[in-house]
Amino acid sequence: PTQNLCFQSSGINAEYGVQLKIFVSKAVVSTQSTGEIATVIVTVVTLFLTTFVFHCTWVTSEAYSSPSIVLAARGHDGNRIIFDDFRESYNWLKFNTPENAKVMSWWDYGYQLTAMANRTIIVDNNTWNNTHISRVGQAMASPEDHSYTIMKELDVDYVLVIFGGMSGYSSDDINKFLWMIRIGGSTPEGEHIKESDYYSSTGEYKVDKDASKAMHDSLMYKMCYYRFGEIMTEQGKPTGYDRVRNQEIGNKDFELDVLEEAFTSEHWIVRIYKVKDLANRGTT
């Protein structure tokens, strides 16, 4: 009985040992498979993160690293085109106008003009004085005679506008003009300025032949489109074709009465005018 018991015990141990070896082998295989899967996952994640880093670097270099005063675009051939009109114009003001010259523009460009052109501006990005900004809006939205009165009241020497019709730059003053009209008409001095007067007969905001008389006669329209009617901007399009509004301007043949063109940047993005000294005109 003792021998049989030992034999049986040895058999059980042997069978257990075989099962243990099989279990360990499966565990090793399972561990190896898990390790391979983990390696694949780590590789894929690493590749994804590396690609993401390159993507972020590209986006930063293309979009976020460029100062807002230096614009970039891609030409039809894929080459990068740099528009340095802002710095070009600010440098012109700095070196070609008296140090005490006062420049009127919409408030968006106030800080840049002060810092880069070192000239006194009428309104800037500190927009707390709505009445003062409204006065500038009234000058931009009014016909030349009325605008001249306001500019003399504000002691303006030069007027600067941003125009994208030549280059296709859409953040220009024609696209911001409705805000100048609204703010200009928001005070008692500007009660004659009505936004509806600047829409076409069909209620559209246009610069072509269907644009309203108030639009065509406004100082803003004339400063942006002065001499533009002579320019061909796109092949197959008429002269005076605005590349932002995709319209042929409606008023091409006009002269300026109270302003004279002082400077226009390379791509026509910045236009600067000098206020004429018309001694026989009052300020009231």
Side-chain angles (χ1 to χ4, degrees):
T2 304
Q3 291 178 350
N4 291 339
L5 182 62
C6 291
F7 178 77
Q8 290 175 355
S9 177
S10 298
I12 292 172
N13 288 338
E15 183 179 353
Y16 178 77
V18 171
Q19 292 178 349
L20 182 61
K21 287 180 181 180
I22 294 173
F23 176 78
V24 170
S25 297
K26 289 182 177 179
V28 170
V29 171
S30 177
T31 302
Q32 290 176 342
S33 299
T34 302
E36 292 173 356
I37 294 172
T39 301
V40 171
I41 292 174
V42 170
T43 302
V44 170
V45 171
T46 303
L47 181 62
F48 172 78
L49 292 175
T50 303
T51 304
F52 183 70
V53 168
F54 278 108
H55 171 72
C56 291
T57 303
W58 178 82
V59 169
T60 302
S61 65
E62 288 291 318
Y64 303 132
S65 293
S66 300
S68 59
I69 62 170
V70 180
L71 309 174
R74 296 286 179 183
H76 295 297
D77 56 359
N79 291 329
R80 197 176 193 187
I81 303 171
I82 300 298
F83 298 90
D84 205 7
D85 293 50
F86 285 95
R87 289 197 304 177
E88 176 191 356
S89 304
Y90 296 154
N91 281 336
W92 185 88
L93 277 170
K94 185 174 183 179
F95 295 110
N96 294 276
T97 62
E99 290 185 3
N100 62 348
K102 298 180 180 66
V103 182
M104 183 179 80
S105 71
W106 193 232
W107 64 263
D108 297 37
Y109 325 110
Y111 285 165
Q112 290 181 0
L113 279 164
T114 300
M116 301 189 70
N118 194 27
R119 291 296 176 266
T120 301
I121 43 83
I122 305 302
V123 291
D124 61 21
N125 306 61
N126 181 8
T127 58
W128 64 272
N129 192 336
N130 182 70
T131 303
H132 213 49
I133 294 176
S134 175
R135 204 69 176 132
V136 172
Q138 292 160 28
M140 298 295 192
S142 298
E144 283 190 83
D145 283 347
H146 192 78
S147 297
Y148 186 80
T149 300
I150 298 173
M151 289 186 289
K152 282 301 181 181
E153 170 195 315
L154 298 175
D155 198 21
V156 175
D157 298 301
Y158 293 88
V159 187
L160 178 148
V161 292
I162 305 302
F163 173 61
M166 173 79 82
S167 63
Y169 177 59
S170 60
S171 296
D172 68 351
D173 283 340
I174 292 292
N175 275 358
K176 297 175 183 178
F177 189 37
L178 282 178
W179 283 108
M180 302 182 200
I181 293 166
R182 291 164 185 163
I183 296 174
S186 66
T187 57
E189 294 82 0
E191 61 183 2
H192 64 286
I193 297 175
K194 308 295 183 185
E195 182 178 342
S196 58
D197 292 341
Y198 295 84
Y199 291 108
S200 69
S201 58
T202 57
E204 298 175 275
Y205 182 64
K206 308 193 78 172
V207 298
D208 61 8
K209 60 182 178 58
D210 295 325
S212 68
K213 186 178 187 303
M215 185 69 173
H216 282 156
D217 290 345
S218 68
L219 186 71
M220 174 59 67
Y221 188 97
K222 290 189 173 182
M223 287 192 294
C224 287
Y225 292 120
Y226 179 63
R227 294 193 303 108
F228 185 67
E230 307 166 3
I231 306 298
M232 179 171 288
T233 59
E234 289 190 12
Q235 188 173 3
K237 300 293 185 181
T239 58
Y241 183 77
D242 187 320
R243 297 180 61 207
V244 173
R245 268 62 59 175
N246 294 317
Q247 300 172 30
E248 177 187 0
I249 63 171
N251 190 4
K252 297 182 182 182
D253 186 20
F254 63 86
E255 294 295 330
L256 295 172
D257 185 17
V258 303
L259 300 174
E260 60 183 2
E261 184 180 9
F263 178 81
T264 294
S265 61
E266 179 182 359
H267 302 99
W268 282 50
I269 292 177
V270 182
R271 309 202 68 184
I272 301 172
Y273 295 88
K274 188 178 188 303
V275 180
K276 292 180 181 179
D277 186 14
L278 304 176
N280 60 333
R281 298 202 185 195
T283 57
T284 58

